[in-house]
Amino acid sequence: GLLHELHPAIVITFGPDGLYGYPDHLAAYRATTAAIEAFGPTREQAPALYFQVMSRERVRAMAERGEGPFAGMAPEQLDGFGIPD
């Protein structure tokens, strides 16, 4: 309802990986995507939808430096995060 009321031109949310799989980020992605899809098949009045993402290369570099949420993750865990450059 807020999207119809506020009429934003752009909506930004997390990508499908939630940046690093955080449950709240994944919920935000699902809720926001569903809200945009609710505009219907033509989506003429729907705002543009953009995703906040991170490259796989950056995810791996952060993991190697032991930084952030990727520190200590196994390589097979890291494969589910980020997008190719």
Side-chain angles (χ1 to χ4, degrees):
L2 283 175
L3 291 177
H4 288 282
E5 180 183 329
L6 298 174
H7 303 291
I10 297 170
V11 173
I12 302 171
T13 191
F14 295 99
D17 65 352
L19 280 184
Y20 54 93
Y22 190 68
D24 289 351
H25 296 178
L26 296 169
Y29 161 77
R30 287 190 298 270
T32 306
T33 303
I36 297 297
E37 289 173 355
F39 277 85
T42 61
R43 294 184 47 188
E44 291 176 16
Q45 301 297 321
L49 179 61
Y50 292 93
F51 299 113
Q52 177 187 359
V53 296
M54 192 179 307
S55 73
R56 282 194 189 128
E57 291 76 12
R58 181 163 184 217
V59 167
R60 291 199 180 278
M62 289 175 71
E64 288 173 10
R65 288 191 303 266
E67 292 179 357
F70 309 109
M73 283 190 180
E76 49 277 355
Q77 286 177 291
L78 295 172
D79 289 342
F81 302 116
I83 60 167
D85 276 347

